[in-house]
């Protein structure tokens, strides 16, 4: 379901007039819906380690080098060198003093820190992308911007989560006649996404709700 279709679903739920093109989205409430759709989409993508956001990237560490630019567009989950897992540590001092112990790496500013090797190393990174959207050509990006952009959240969960989540935030009033319905549908979709997105049978679904 693309961005324009999501907007029209929100307008329908909120009893507003639907639109045919982006050029008709000129009212304050229109702009509010556009903004909140992006906020909800990012929040959902960031609250869990979703399988649909997992990506893989190769990096190269030159020999006798301990620091390279961090070009991983997201949160690192696994980092492997020579097929062996290296664990993250927040202690950066050993990497600058040359006293690194064990298989570890760290982050400093926009750089990745590693032990020094006497030969070039290929680094295999498994990470959760910080991109939440795909455009009509399949390119991933951060925000819903164009009519044909789509959320990376898989269907049918994306529609229910984004539409009802947006309506909840737009009205933000528990006394609203539809508030309880929107909340129940949102929670149901989040629970279903959690249970269906994992391929491992013992991963139990848990719903986490965040309030501002």
């Amino acid at each position: 379901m693309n961005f324009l279709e999501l907007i029209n679903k929100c307008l329908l739920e909120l009893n507003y007039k639907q639109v045919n093109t982006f050029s008709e989205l000129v009212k304050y409430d229109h702009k509010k819906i556009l903004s909140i759709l992006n906020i909800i989409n990012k929040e959902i993508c960031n609250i869990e380690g979703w399988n649909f956001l997992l990506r893989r990237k190769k990096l190269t560490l030159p020999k006798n080098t301990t620091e390279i630019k961090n070009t991983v567009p997201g949160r690192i989950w696994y980092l492997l060198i020579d097929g062996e897992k290296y664990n993250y540590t927040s202690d950066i001092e050993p990497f600058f003093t040359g006293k690194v112990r064990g298989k570890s790496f760290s982050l400093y500013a926009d750089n990745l820190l590693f032990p020094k090797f006497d030969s070039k190393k290929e680094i295999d990174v498994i990470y959760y992308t910080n991109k939440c959207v795909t455009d009509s050509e399949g390119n991933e990006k951060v925000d819903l911007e164009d009519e044909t952009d789509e959320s990376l959240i898989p269907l049918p969960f994306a529609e229910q989560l984004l539409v009802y989540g947006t309506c909840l935030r737009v009205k933000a009033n528990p006394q609203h006649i539809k508030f309880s319905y929107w909340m129940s549908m949102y929670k149901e979709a989040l629970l279903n996404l959690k249970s269906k997105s994992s391929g491992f049978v013992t991963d139990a679904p848990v719903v986490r709700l965040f309030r501002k």
Side-chain angles (χ1 to χ4, degrees):
M1 175 166 284
N2 65 39
F3 195 19
L4 184 59
E5 290 169 335
L6 286 169
I7 292 166
N8 273 323
K9 286 281 188 178
C10 291
L11 292 172
L12 183 64
E13 278 294 322
L14 295 166
N15 292 320
Y16 296 154
K17 183 181 177 181
Q18 293 181 292
V19 299
N20 294 311
T21 66
F22 259 30
S23 61
E24 299 175 55
L25 299 169
V26 295
K27 297 180 179 179
Y28 170 77
D29 283 346
H30 292 157
K31 304 300 183 183
K32 189 174 182 181
I33 290 170
L34 267 67
S35 175
I36 292 176
L37 270 168
N38 266 303
I39 291 171
I40 298 295
N41 190 48
K42 290 176 184 175
E43 284 182 353
I44 292 169
C45 286
N46 287 319
I47 61 173
E48 293 282 347
W50 302 114
N51 282 350
F52 58 84
L53 295 179
L54 278 176
R55 302 291 184 269
R56 189 173 186 177
K57 185 179 180 68
K58 298 284 188 178
L59 302 174
T60 299
L61 178 68
K63 67 177 182 179
N64 299 320
T65 301
T66 61
E67 188 174 335
I68 60 173
K69 188 75 174 176
N70 180 15
T71 58
V72 179
R75 297 170 292 159
I76 295 173
W77 186 29
Y78 280 120
L79 188 145
L80 307 169
I81 300 177
D82 293 335
E84 295 187 76
K85 180 182 176 181
Y86 277 63
N87 294 308
Y88 171 77
T89 175
S90 59
D91 184 8
I92 64 174
E93 181 181 346
F95 297 91
F96 291 106
T97 59
K99 298 178 180 179
V100 181
R101 292 184 178 181
K103 296 178 174 62
S104 59
F105 74 97
S106 192
L107 293 167
Y108 169 70
D110 291 327
N111 297 323
L112 287 164
L113 303 177
F114 299 97
K116 184 181 291 187
F117 298 98
D118 57 10
S119 62
K120 182 178 72 174
K121 296 294 181 180
E122 296 299 321
I123 302 168
D124 196 10
V125 182
I126 310 298
Y127 68 98
Y128 292 100
T129 180
N130 56 18
K131 306 294 194 300
C132 307
V133 177
T134 183
D135 65 19
S136 59
E137 296 181 353
N139 300 309
E140 293 182 357
K141 58 183 188 177
V142 175
D143 293 310
L144 291 159
E145 299 169 314
D146 303 315
E147 293 184 12
T148 54
D149 288 347
E150 296 184 6
S151 170
L152 286 178
I153 301 170
L155 289 173
F157 314 108
E159 177 184 348
Q160 196 168 329
L161 284 167
L162 297 178
V163 171
Y164 296 127
T166 298
C167 291
L168 284 167
R169 195 69 63 86
V170 168
K171 290 304 180 183
N173 179 11
Q175 303 306 315
H176 189 280
I177 190 171
K178 282 190 170 182
F179 193 88
S180 295
Y181 169 72
W182 293 334
M183 178 64 78
S184 65
M185 295 299 285
Y186 176 85
K187 288 166 63 177
E188 176 186 275
L190 192 58
L191 189 62
N192 285 335
L193 176 61
K194 174 65 177 176
S195 63
K196 301 286 173 49
S197 66
S198 175
F200 194 61
V201 68
T202 59
D203 279 350
V206 176
V207 172
R208 295 186 179 95
L209 297 178
F210 296 86
R211 215 176 255 192
K212 289 188 176 181

